[in-house]
């Protein structure tokens, strides 16, 4: 399984979720399933674990994510995979039907309109909501657009929040309590 998170940051996040007694977790944008599995395995067996991911958008990652969800089921988790566009009404409804959640992790499309929609659609489903890539700083000539920091900085002041930024101008996890 490929790991796309910085270990120290995901460990910080897992510890926070453990401290908050999380037993249900929704992840928007799971790619290969690395963070999904890392978080799930830190929660009590039987916890509800739900992933929403694009079936075409992650290309070769889909079989890895499907295998991850099956492994979680084998370990006794109530694991679910919802494949589709996180902004589609039917996908939102499927996730909502499995909620509410103790924690929601938003790490899908990183452009401002999509991060905003994921917050509006999935944020109300969780008492804790986290965002990945809050520390990203664009590099000259890098076409990758990540607008999560812009969104994060616009909302965090209205909530109790914590941040973990250990990877310089990349990654970072921001957590807020609703």
């Amino acid at each position: 399984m490929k790991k796309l998170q910085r270990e120290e940051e995901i460990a910080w996040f897992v510890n926070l979720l453990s401290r908050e007694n999380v037993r249900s977790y929704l992840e928007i944008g799971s790619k290969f399933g690395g963070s999904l599995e890392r978080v799930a395995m830190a929660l009590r067996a039987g916890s509800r674990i739900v992933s929403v991911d694009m079936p075409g958008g992650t290309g070769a990652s889909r079989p890895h994510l499907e295998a991850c969800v099956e492994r979680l089921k084998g370990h006794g988790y109530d694991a679910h995979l919802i494949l589709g566009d996180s902004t589609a009404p039917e996908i939102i409804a499927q996730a909502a039907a499995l909620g509410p959640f103790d924690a929601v992790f938003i790490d899908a499309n990183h452009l401002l309109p999509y991060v905003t929609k994921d917050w509006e659609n999935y944020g109300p489903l969780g008492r804790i909501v986290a965002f990945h890539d809050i520390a990203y700083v664009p590099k000259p000539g890098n076409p990758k657009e990540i607008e999560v920091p812009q969104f994060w900085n616009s909302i965090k002041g209205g909530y109790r929040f914590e941040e973990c930024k250990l990877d310089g101008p990349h990654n970072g996890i921001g957590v807020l309590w609703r």
Side-chain angles (χ1 to χ4, degrees):
M1 170 188 359
K2 294 184 180 185
K3 293 188 178 184
L4 302 175
Q5 306 282 350
R6 181 177 171 129
E7 176 53 33
E8 296 88 349
E9 288 179 351
I10 199 73
W12 172 86
F13 183 53
V14 164
N15 287 335
L16 183 146
L17 297 180
S18 179
R19 182 178 78 222
E20 292 290 329
N21 198 33
V22 167
R23 296 290 174 254
S24 56
Y25 175 75
L26 170 62
E27 188 169 284
I28 310 301
S30 298
K31 197 131 186 167
F32 293 95
S35 59
L36 184 76
E37 191 162 18
R38 178 77 166 79
V39 168
M41 295 304 287
L43 304 181
R44 181 181 307 155
S47 295
R48 187 174 349 103
I49 309 296
V50 179
S51 168
V52 173
D53 201 82
M54 284 286 282
T58 58
S61 64
R62 181 176 176 172
H64 296 276
L65 181 55
E66 289 171 337
C68 170
V69 170
E70 289 306 311
R71 277 193 306 278
L72 292 174
K73 288 179 182 178
H75 286 294
Y77 293 91
D78 178 19
H80 304 266
L81 176 58
I82 301 170
L83 293 172
D85 180 344
S86 67
T87 65
E90 64 275 10
I91 300 302
I92 298 162
Q94 287 177 50
L98 294 166
F101 299 93
D102 292 326
V104 175
F105 186 49
I106 298 174
D107 190 18
N109 189 318
H110 291 64
L111 296 177
L112 188 58
Y114 296 96
V115 176
T116 302
K117 287 178 186 176
D118 285 343
W119 161 250
E120 291 169 349
N121 294 324
Y122 300 101
L125 299 179
R127 65 179 171 89
I128 298 168
V129 182
F131 296 85
H132 189 242
D133 291 318
I134 65 161
Y136 180 80
V137 176
K139 298 175 187 169
N142 184 354
K144 187 174 185 180
E145 291 189 49
I146 295 180
E147 297 172 327
V148 178
Q150 179 183 347
F151 177 80
W152 173 249
N153 290 326
S154 76
I155 67 160
K156 70 181 182 181
Y159 299 90
R160 173 183 157 213
F161 72 91
E162 292 184 31
E163 298 177 334
C164 182
K165 298 178 181 179
L166 301 174
D167 204 11
H170 190 62
N171 289 327
I173 297 174
V175 179
L176 59 80
W177 285 258
R178 293 189 63 93

